[in-house]
mmCIF file of all heavy atoms in Angstrom:
data_model
loop_
_atom_site.group_PDB
_atom_site.id
_atom_site.type_symbol
_atom_site.label_atom_id
_atom_site.label_comp_id
_atom_site.label_asym_id
_atom_site.label_seq_id
_atom_site.Cartn_x
_atom_site.Cartn_y
_atom_site.Cartn_z
ATOM 1 N N ASP A 1 139.251 193.993 96.371
ATOM 2 C CA ASP A 1 140.607 194.513 96.605
ATOM 3 C C ASP A 1 141.288 195.004 95.330
ATOM 4 O O ASP A 1 142.516 194.890 95.184
ATOM 5 C CB ASP A 1 141.484 193.484 97.323
ATOM 6 C CG ASP A 1 140.990 193.223 98.736
ATOM 7 O OD1 ASP A 1 140.532 194.178 99.389
ATOM 8 O OD2 ASP A 1 141.057 192.058 99.174
ATOM 9 N N VAL A 2 140.502 195.536 94.430
ATOM 10 C CA VAL A 2 141.033 196.181 93.237
ATOM 11 C C VAL A 2 141.094 197.680 93.541
ATOM 12 O O VAL A 2 140.147 198.249 94.088
ATOM 13 C CB VAL A 2 140.132 195.901 92.012
ATOM 14 C CG1 VAL A 2 140.597 196.674 90.799
ATOM 15 C CG2 VAL A 2 140.091 194.405 91.716
ATOM 16 N N THR A 3 142.204 198.311 93.201
ATOM 17 C CA THR A 3 142.388 199.734 93.460
ATOM 18 C C THR A 3 141.855 200.555 92.293
ATOM 19 O O THR A 3 142.204 200.285 91.136
ATOM 20 C CB THR A 3 143.885 200.051 93.668
ATOM 21 O OG1 THR A 3 144.368 199.264 94.753
ATOM 22 C CG2 THR A 3 144.104 201.520 93.954
ATOM 23 N N ILE A 4 141.026 201.538 92.582
ATOM 24 C CA ILE A 4 140.518 202.439 91.550
ATOM 25 C C ILE A 4 141.542 203.562 91.384
ATOM 26 O O ILE A 4 141.842 204.288 92.331
ATOM 27 C CB ILE A 4 139.139 203.023 91.938
ATOM 28 C CG1 ILE A 4 138.141 201.897 92.246
ATOM 29 C CG2 ILE A 4 138.631 203.960 90.843
ATOM 30 C CD1 ILE A 4 137.886 200.928 91.120
ATOM 31 N N LEU A 5 142.089 203.688 90.189
ATOM 32 C CA LEU A 5 143.083 204.727 89.908
ATOM 33 C C LEU A 5 142.445 205.994 89.356
ATOM 34 O O LEU A 5 142.933 207.099 89.615
ATOM 35 C CB LEU A 5 144.123 204.214 88.908
ATOM 36 C CG LEU A 5 144.894 202.960 89.325
ATOM 37 C CD1 LEU A 5 145.835 202.528 88.206
ATOM 38 C CD2 LEU A 5 145.657 203.202 90.613
ATOM 39 N N ALA A 6 141.383 205.831 88.568
ATOM 40 C CA ALA A 6 140.716 206.990 87.960
ATOM 41 C C ALA A 6 139.303 206.613 87.563
ATOM 42 O O ALA A 6 139.009 205.458 87.267
ATOM 43 C CB ALA A 6 141.489 207.466 86.732
ATOM 44 N N ALA A 7 138.443 207.616 87.570
ATOM 45 C CA ALA A 7 137.068 207.452 87.082
ATOM 46 C C ALA A 7 136.822 208.540 86.054
ATOM 47 O O ALA A 7 137.221 209.693 86.244
ATOM 48 C CB ALA A 7 136.075 207.565 88.235
ATOM 49 N N ASN A 8 136.215 208.162 84.957
ATOM 50 C CA ASN A 8 135.896 209.090 83.876
ATOM 51 C C ASN A 8 137.144 209.828 83.391
ATOM 52 O O ASN A 8 137.136 211.044 83.219
ATOM 53 C CB ASN A 8 134.799 210.060 84.306
ATOM 54 C CG ASN A 8 133.582 209.328 84.813
ATOM 55 O OD1 ASN A 8 133.265 209.385 85.989
ATOM 56 N ND2 ASN A 8 132.917 208.586 83.940
ATOM 57 N N TRP A 9 138.209 209.075 83.160
ATOM 58 C CA TRP A 9 139.459 209.649 82.684
ATOM 59 C C TRP A 9 139.298 210.050 81.219
ATOM 60 O O TRP A 9 138.876 209.255 80.385
ATOM 61 C CB TRP A 9 140.608 208.647 82.855
ATOM 62 C CG TRP A 9 141.947 209.265 82.626
ATOM 63 C CD1 TRP A 9 142.708 209.908 83.547
ATOM 64 C CD2 TRP A 9 142.665 209.323 81.397
ATOM 65 N NE1 TRP A 9 143.863 210.367 82.961
ATOM 66 C CE2 TRP A 9 143.850 210.019 81.634
ATOM 67 C CE3 TRP A 9 142.404 208.864 80.106
ATOM 68 C CZ2 TRP A 9 144.802 210.260 80.644
ATOM 69 C CZ3 TRP A 9 143.340 209.102 79.124
ATOM 70 C CH2 TRP A 9 144.527 209.794 79.393
ATOM 71 N N ARG A 10 139.622 211.300 80.921
ATOM 72 C CA ARG A 10 139.399 211.844 79.572
ATOM 73 C C ARG A 10 140.686 212.313 78.922
ATOM 74 O O ARG A 10 141.600 212.767 79.596
ATOM 75 C CB ARG A 10 138.453 213.037 79.642
ATOM 76 C CG ARG A 10 137.082 212.713 80.119
ATOM 77 C CD ARG A 10 136.267 214.005 80.306
ATOM 78 N NE ARG A 10 135.093 213.762 81.095
ATOM 79 C CZ ARG A 10 133.913 213.443 80.607
ATOM 80 N NH1 ARG A 10 133.756 213.347 79.314
ATOM 81 N NH2 ARG A 10 132.890 213.228 81.402
ATOM 82 N N CYS A 11 140.673 212.225 77.605
ATOM 83 C CA CYS A 11 141.723 212.785 76.765
ATOM 84 C C CYS A 11 141.051 213.135 75.440
ATOM 85 O O CYS A 11 139.854 212.881 75.269
ATOM 86 C CB CYS A 11 142.869 211.787 76.583
ATOM 87 S SG CYS A 11 142.505 210.427 75.463
ATOM 88 N N PRO A 12 141.775 213.711 74.487
ATOM 89 C CA PRO A 12 141.130 214.060 73.213
ATOM 90 C C PRO A 12 140.494 212.888 72.458
ATOM 91 O O PRO A 12 139.595 213.075 71.655
ATOM 92 C CB PRO A 12 142.273 214.677 72.399
ATOM 93 C CG PRO A 12 143.205 215.224 73.431
ATOM 94 C CD PRO A 12 143.133 214.236 74.575
ATOM 95 N N TYR A 13 140.951 211.667 72.733
ATOM 96 C CA TYR A 13 140.409 210.498 72.020
ATOM 97 C C TYR A 13 139.095 209.999 72.598
ATOM 98 O O TYR A 13 138.325 209.343 71.914
ATOM 99 C CB TYR A 13 141.421 209.351 72.030
ATOM 100 C CG TYR A 13 142.709 209.703 71.352
ATOM 101 C CD1 TYR A 13 143.870 209.842 72.086
ATOM 102 C CD2 TYR A 13 142.759 209.917 69.977
ATOM 103 C CE1 TYR A 13 145.068 210.177 71.459
ATOM 104 C CE2 TYR A 13 143.940 210.252 69.351
ATOM 105 C CZ TYR A 13 145.087 210.384 70.101
ATOM 106 O OH TYR A 13 146.266 210.717 69.482
ATOM 107 N N GLY A 14 138.863 210.272 73.878
ATOM 108 C CA GLY A 14 137.645 209.778 74.495
ATOM 109 C C GLY A 14 137.762 209.694 76.002
ATOM 110 O O GLY A 14 138.574 210.383 76.611
ATOM 111 N N GLU A 15 136.954 208.811 76.561
ATOM 112 C CA GLU A 15 136.876 208.660 78.009
ATOM 113 C C GLU A 15 136.896 207.186 78.380
ATOM 114 O O GLU A 15 136.326 206.346 77.670
ATOM 115 C CB GLU A 15 135.577 209.272 78.520
ATOM 116 C CG GLU A 15 135.335 209.081 79.989
ATOM 117 C CD GLU A 15 133.991 209.626 80.451
ATOM 118 O OE1 GLU A 15 133.347 210.366 79.700
ATOM 119 O OE2 GLU A 15 133.600 209.276 81.563
ATOM 120 N N ILE A 16 137.538 206.896 79.488
ATOM 121 C CA ILE A 16 137.500 205.548 80.059
ATOM 122 C C ILE A 16 136.744 205.673 81.372
ATOM 123 O O ILE A 16 137.092 206.492 82.226
ATOM 124 C CB ILE A 16 138.905 204.970 80.267
ATOM 125 C CG1 ILE A 16 139.572 204.784 78.897
ATOM 126 C CG2 ILE A 16 138.832 203.644 81.028
ATOM 127 C CD1 ILE A 16 140.979 204.268 78.950
ATOM 128 N N ASP A 17 135.707 204.862 81.523
ATOM 129 C CA ASP A 17 134.846 204.965 82.700
ATOM 130 C C ASP A 17 135.608 204.707 83.994
ATOM 131 O O ASP A 17 135.485 205.461 84.957
ATOM 132 C CB ASP A 17 133.658 204.005 82.591
ATOM 133 C CG ASP A 17 132.747 204.355 81.426
ATOM 134 O OD1 ASP A 17 132.609 205.551 81.107
ATOM 135 O OD2 ASP A 17 132.171 203.418 80.845
ATOM 136 N N ILE A 18 136.370 203.617 84.020
ATOM 137 C CA ILE A 18 137.114 203.255 85.232
ATOM 138 C C ILE A 18 138.484 202.740 84.820
ATOM 139 O O ILE A 18 138.599 201.915 83.913
ATOM 140 C CB ILE A 18 136.387 202.156 86.036
ATOM 141 C CG1 ILE A 18 135.000 202.621 86.475
ATOM 142 C CG2 ILE A 18 137.218 201.723 87.250
ATOM 143 C CD1 ILE A 18 134.132 201.513 87.046
ATOM 144 N N ILE A 19 139.498 203.229 85.518
ATOM 145 C CA ILE A 19 140.837 202.655 85.389
ATOM 146 C C ILE A 19 141.163 202.116 86.777
ATOM 147 O O ILE A 19 141.114 202.850 87.770
ATOM 148 C CB ILE A 19 141.877 203.690 84.926
ATOM 149 C CG1 ILE A 19 141.470 204.256 83.554
ATOM 150 C CG2 ILE A 19 143.266 203.043 84.862
ATOM 151 C CD1 ILE A 19 142.341 205.402 83.074
ATOM 152 N N ALA A 20 141.447 200.829 86.825
ATOM 153 C CA ALA A 20 141.660 200.158 88.106
ATOM 154 C C ALA A 20 142.864 199.236 87.987
ATOM 155 O O ALA A 20 143.343 198.973 86.881
ATOM 156 C CB ALA A 20 140.411 199.384 88.499
ATOM 157 N N ALA A 21 143.334 198.759 89.138
ATOM 158 C CA ALA A 21 144.530 197.923 89.078
ATOM 159 C C ALA A 21 144.613 196.954 90.240
ATOM 160 O O ALA A 21 144.102 197.204 91.331
ATOM 161 C CB ALA A 21 145.772 198.809 89.077
ATOM 162 N N THR A 22 145.280 195.856 89.945
ATOM 163 C CA THR A 22 145.760 194.943 90.966
ATOM 164 C C THR A 22 147.283 195.065 90.935
ATOM 165 O O THR A 22 147.830 195.901 90.199
ATOM 166 C CB THR A 22 145.344 193.489 90.666
ATOM 167 O OG1 THR A 22 145.926 193.094 89.421
ATOM 168 C CG2 THR A 22 143.839 193.331 90.624
ATOM 169 N N GLU A 23 147.947 194.229 91.656
ATOM 170 C CA GLU A 23 149.412 194.298 91.670
ATOM 171 C C GLU A 23 150.002 194.077 90.276
ATOM 172 O O GLU A 23 150.990 194.713 89.911
ATOM 173 C CB GLU A 23 149.961 193.251 92.637
ATOM 174 C CG GLU A 23 151.454 193.332 92.823
ATOM 175 C CD GLU A 23 151.960 192.323 93.835
ATOM 176 O OE1 GLU A 23 151.268 192.080 94.842
ATOM 177 O OE2 GLU A 23 153.046 191.769 93.587
ATOM 178 N N LYS A 24 149.374 193.204 89.485
ATOM 179 C CA LYS A 24 149.956 192.828 88.196
ATOM 180 C C LYS A 24 149.204 193.319 86.978
ATOM 181 O O LYS A 24 149.765 193.327 85.883
ATOM 182 C CB LYS A 24 150.070 191.300 88.118
ATOM 183 C CG LYS A 24 151.036 190.733 89.133
ATOM 184 C CD LYS A 24 151.159 189.250 89.000
ATOM 185 C CE LYS A 24 152.136 188.733 90.049
ATOM 186 N NZ LYS A 24 152.362 187.308 89.934
ATOM 187 N N GLU A 25 147.934 193.720 87.131
ATOM 188 C CA GLU A 25 147.134 194.089 85.961
ATOM 189 C C GLU A 25 146.531 195.481 86.092
ATOM 190 O O GLU A 25 146.205 195.941 87.191
ATOM 191 C CB GLU A 25 145.996 193.085 85.741
ATOM 192 C CG GLU A 25 146.492 191.720 85.320
ATOM 193 C CD GLU A 25 145.342 190.781 85.014
ATOM 194 O OE1 GLU A 25 144.546 190.506 85.934
ATOM 195 O OE2 GLU A 25 145.252 190.343 83.863
ATOM 196 N N LEU A 26 146.368 196.107 84.934
ATOM 197 C CA LEU A 26 145.740 197.418 84.826
ATOM 198 C C LEU A 26 144.455 197.239 84.032
ATOM 199 O O LEU A 26 144.490 196.743 82.905
ATOM 200 C CB LEU A 26 146.693 198.371 84.102
ATOM 201 C CG LEU A 26 146.241 199.806 83.933
ATOM 202 C CD1 LEU A 26 146.136 200.489 85.301
ATOM 203 C CD2 LEU A 26 147.231 200.557 83.050
ATOM 204 N N TYR A 27 143.325 197.594 84.630
ATOM 205 C CA TYR A 27 142.022 197.384 84.000
ATOM 206 C C TYR A 27 141.529 198.696 83.399
ATOM 207 O O TYR A 27 141.426 199.701 84.106
ATOM 208 C CB TYR A 27 140.960 196.955 85.016
ATOM 209 C CG TYR A 27 141.236 195.758 85.876
ATOM 210 C CD1 TYR A 27 140.362 195.459 86.902
ATOM 211 C CD2 TYR A 27 142.331 194.924 85.694
ATOM 212 C CE1 TYR A 27 140.559 194.360 87.722
ATOM 213 C CE2 TYR A 27 142.530 193.825 86.513
ATOM 214 C CZ TYR A 27 141.648 193.547 87.526
ATOM 215 O OH TYR A 27 141.842 192.463 88.333
ATOM 216 N N PHE A 28 141.179 198.664 82.135
ATOM 217 C CA PHE A 28 140.461 199.760 81.489
ATOM 218 C C PHE A 28 139.029 199.249 81.331
ATOM 219 O O PHE A 28 138.779 198.312 80.568
ATOM 220 C CB PHE A 28 141.082 200.105 80.139
ATOM 221 C CG PHE A 28 142.479 200.660 80.260
ATOM 222 C CD1 PHE A 28 143.585 199.875 79.973
ATOM 223 C CD2 PHE A 28 142.682 201.968 80.684
ATOM 224 C CE1 PHE A 28 144.874 200.381 80.088
ATOM 225 C CE2 PHE A 28 143.970 202.491 80.806
ATOM 226 C CZ PHE A 28 145.067 201.697 80.508
ATOM 227 N N VAL A 29 138.115 199.838 82.084
ATOM 228 C CA VAL A 29 136.769 199.279 82.195
ATOM 229 C C VAL A 29 135.737 200.187 81.531
ATOM 230 O O VAL A 29 135.613 201.366 81.873
ATOM 231 C CB VAL A 29 136.374 199.061 83.675
ATOM 232 C CG1 VAL A 29 135.018 198.379 83.773
ATOM 233 C CG2 VAL A 29 137.452 198.277 84.412
ATOM 234 N N GLU A 30 134.984 199.622 80.612
ATOM 235 C CA GLU A 30 133.842 200.295 79.998
ATOM 236 C C GLU A 30 132.595 199.793 80.717
ATOM 237 O O GLU A 30 132.377 198.580 80.816
ATOM 238 C CB GLU A 30 133.763 199.962 78.509
ATOM 239 C CG GLU A 30 132.558 200.513 77.794
ATOM 240 C CD GLU A 30 132.563 202.030 77.649
ATOM 241 O OE1 GLU A 30 133.586 202.681 77.940
ATOM 242 O OE2 GLU A 30 131.528 202.558 77.223
ATOM 243 N N VAL A 31 131.799 200.716 81.239
ATOM 244 C CA VAL A 31 130.592 200.359 81.975
ATOM 245 C C VAL A 31 129.371 200.743 81.146
ATOM 246 O O VAL A 31 129.279 201.865 80.656
ATOM 247 C CB VAL A 31 130.539 201.078 83.346
ATOM 248 C CG1 VAL A 31 129.259 200.705 84.097
ATOM 249 C CG2 VAL A 31 131.767 200.746 84.177
ATOM 250 N N LYS A 32 128.453 199.815 81.015
ATOM 251 C CA LYS A 32 127.186 200.061 80.324
ATOM 252 C C LYS A 32 126.056 199.770 81.306
ATOM 253 O O LYS A 32 125.993 198.683 81.876
ATOM 254 C CB LYS A 32 127.045 199.153 79.092
ATOM 255 C CG LYS A 32 128.072 199.432 78.016
ATOM 256 C CD LYS A 32 127.849 200.789 77.417
ATOM 257 C CE LYS A 32 128.768 201.047 76.243
ATOM 258 N NZ LYS A 32 128.632 202.400 75.733
ATOM 259 N N THR A 33 125.196 200.758 81.509
ATOM 260 C CA THR A 33 124.089 200.607 82.452
ATOM 261 C C THR A 33 122.775 200.817 81.716
ATOM 262 O O THR A 33 122.625 201.783 80.971
ATOM 263 C CB THR A 33 124.202 201.647 83.594
ATOM 264 O OG1 THR A 33 125.488 201.525 84.196
ATOM 265 C CG2 THR A 33 123.118 201.441 84.634
ATOM 266 N N ARG A 34 121.837 199.906 81.956
ATOM 267 C CA ARG A 34 120.511 200.017 81.349
ATOM 268 C C ARG A 34 119.465 199.510 82.323
ATOM 269 O O ARG A 34 119.751 198.761 83.244
ATOM 270 C CB ARG A 34 120.434 199.197 80.060
ATOM 271 C CG ARG A 34 121.366 199.708 78.992
ATOM 272 C CD ARG A 34 120.710 199.691 77.640
ATOM 273 N NE ARG A 34 121.647 200.196 76.650
ATOM 274 C CZ ARG A 34 122.368 199.452 75.840
ATOM 275 N NH1 ARG A 34 122.268 198.150 75.881
ATOM 276 N NH2 ARG A 34 123.180 199.995 74.972
ATOM 277 N N ARG A 35 118.236 199.904 82.040
ATOM 278 C CA ARG A 35 117.112 199.452 82.862
ATOM 279 C C ARG A 35 116.609 198.081 82.430
ATOM 280 O O ARG A 35 115.976 197.383 83.212
ATOM 281 C CB ARG A 35 115.987 200.481 82.814
ATOM 282 C CG ARG A 35 116.374 201.782 83.519
ATOM 283 C CD ARG A 35 115.313 202.831 83.350
ATOM 284 N NE ARG A 35 114.103 202.466 84.051
ATOM 285 C CZ ARG A 35 113.644 203.084 85.123
ATOM 286 N NH1 ARG A 35 114.291 204.105 85.628
ATOM 287 N NH2 ARG A 35 112.527 202.687 85.696
ATOM 288 N N SER A 36 116.839 197.716 81.171
ATOM 289 C CA SER A 36 116.365 196.407 80.704
ATOM 290 C C SER A 36 117.267 195.888 79.598
ATOM 291 O O SER A 36 118.107 196.609 79.067
ATOM 292 C CB SER A 36 114.930 196.514 80.187
ATOM 293 O OG SER A 36 114.906 197.126 78.917
ATOM 294 N N ARG A 37 117.033 194.636 79.217
ATOM 295 C CA ARG A 37 117.771 194.003 78.123
ATOM 296 C C ARG A 37 116.980 194.060 76.822
ATOM 297 O O ARG A 37 117.326 193.382 75.871
ATOM 298 C CB ARG A 37 118.043 192.546 78.458
ATOM 299 C CG ARG A 37 118.982 192.324 79.583
ATOM 300 C CD ARG A 37 119.220 190.813 79.718
ATOM 301 N NE ARG A 37 120.177 190.523 80.762
ATOM 302 C CZ ARG A 37 119.848 190.256 82.013
ATOM 303 N NH1 ARG A 37 118.589 190.229 82.380
ATOM 304 N NH2 ARG A 37 120.773 189.993 82.891
ATOM 305 N N SER A 38 115.924 194.838 76.774
ATOM 306 C CA SER A 38 115.002 194.777 75.639
ATOM 307 C C SER A 38 115.643 195.131 74.302
ATOM 308 O O SER A 38 115.220 194.641 73.274
ATOM 309 C CB SER A 38 113.795 195.689 75.884
ATOM 310 O OG SER A 38 114.224 197.031 76.021
ATOM 311 N N TYR A 39 116.682 195.951 74.297
ATOM 312 C CA TYR A 39 117.293 196.353 73.035
ATOM 313 C C TYR A 39 118.369 195.369 72.606
ATOM 314 O O TYR A 39 118.317 194.792 71.534
ATOM 315 C CB TYR A 39 117.853 197.779 73.159
ATOM 316 C CG TYR A 39 118.561 198.262 71.929
ATOM 317 C CD1 TYR A 39 117.892 198.399 70.724
ATOM 318 C CD2 TYR A 39 119.911 198.545 71.966
ATOM 319 C CE1 TYR A 39 118.547 198.834 69.592
ATOM 320 C CE2 TYR A 39 120.566 198.982 70.842
ATOM 321 C CZ TYR A 39 119.885 199.119 69.663
ATOM 322 O OH TYR A 39 120.541 199.542 68.553
ATOM 323 N N MET A 40 119.364 195.179 73.416
ATOM 324 C CA MET A 40 120.454 194.232 73.142
ATOM 325 C C MET A 40 121.205 194.001 74.441
ATOM 326 O O MET A 40 121.049 194.749 75.387
ATOM 327 C CB MET A 40 121.406 194.785 72.079
ATOM 328 C CG MET A 40 122.271 195.947 72.555
ATOM 329 S SD MET A 40 123.551 196.497 71.402
ATOM 330 C CE MET A 40 122.609 197.549 70.327
ATOM 331 N N GLU A 41 121.987 192.956 74.454
ATOM 332 C CA GLU A 41 122.871 192.761 75.590
ATOM 333 C C GLU A 41 123.826 193.950 75.632
ATOM 334 O O GLU A 41 124.299 194.420 74.597
ATOM 335 C CB GLU A 41 123.657 191.464 75.450
ATOM 336 C CG GLU A 41 122.805 190.221 75.587
ATOM 337 C CD GLU A 41 122.278 190.020 76.992
ATOM 338 O OE1 GLU A 41 123.022 190.242 77.957
ATOM 339 O OE2 GLU A 41 121.109 189.628 77.124
ATOM 340 N N ILE A 42 124.111 194.422 76.814
ATOM 341 C CA ILE A 42 124.922 195.630 76.941
ATOM 342 C C ILE A 42 126.293 195.449 76.319
ATOM 343 O O ILE A 42 126.793 196.334 75.638
ATOM 344 C CB ILE A 42 125.033 196.056 78.422
ATOM 345 C CG1 ILE A 42 123.655 196.500 78.934
ATOM 346 C CG2 ILE A 42 126.026 197.174 78.601
ATOM 347 C CD1 ILE A 42 123.608 196.822 80.404
ATOM 348 N N ARG A 43 126.910 194.301 76.531
ATOM 349 C CA ARG A 43 128.265 194.113 76.008
ATOM 350 C C ARG A 43 128.305 194.227 74.485
ATOM 351 O O ARG A 43 129.337 194.516 73.915
ATOM 352 C CB ARG A 43 128.870 192.809 76.501
ATOM 353 C CG ARG A 43 128.206 191.571 75.988
ATOM 354 C CD ARG A 43 128.843 190.307 76.587
ATOM 355 N NE ARG A 43 128.111 189.145 76.208
ATOM 356 C CZ ARG A 43 127.035 188.688 76.825
ATOM 357 N NH1 ARG A 43 126.580 189.310 77.878
ATOM 358 N NH2 ARG A 43 126.422 187.599 76.409
ATOM 359 N N GLU A 44 127.168 194.012 73.824
ATOM 360 C CA GLU A 44 127.098 194.160 72.379
ATOM 361 C C GLU A 44 127.220 195.628 71.956
ATOM 362 O O GLU A 44 127.515 195.918 70.808
ATOM 363 C CB GLU A 44 125.789 193.574 71.849
ATOM 364 C CG GLU A 44 125.689 192.079 72.040
ATOM 365 C CD GLU A 44 124.302 191.535 71.705
ATOM 366 O OE1 GLU A 44 123.430 192.300 71.269
ATOM 367 O OE2 GLU A 44 124.106 190.331 71.889
#
């Protein structure tokens, strides 16, 4: 039940993969997708 406000929102500084919201919070979400963990943990 999180509302998606924007996907791939861009400006001169860069891009935010997902902007989403609940009643009280606004989420700026960075998404990292990989086939394996062999290089590093994605959050790193």
Side-chain angles (χ1 to χ4, degrees):
D1 294 323
V2 174
T3 302
I4 305 301
L5 302 177
N8 306 112
W9 191 87
R10 296 173 196 268
C11 75
Y13 299 111
E15 175 184 347
I16 295 178
D17 296 327
I18 300 169
I19 300 173
T22 61
E23 186 177 323
K24 295 182 180 183
E25 292 184 298
L26 182 66
Y27 305 172
F28 294 103
V29 184
E30 175 69 10
V31 179
K32 295 293 186 185
T33 305
R34 296 221 180 100
R35 292 174 67 111
S36 76
R37 293 184 177 93
S38 61
Y39 177 62
M40 71 173 82
E41 291 291 319
I42 293 175
R43 67 183 174 276
E44 295 171 3

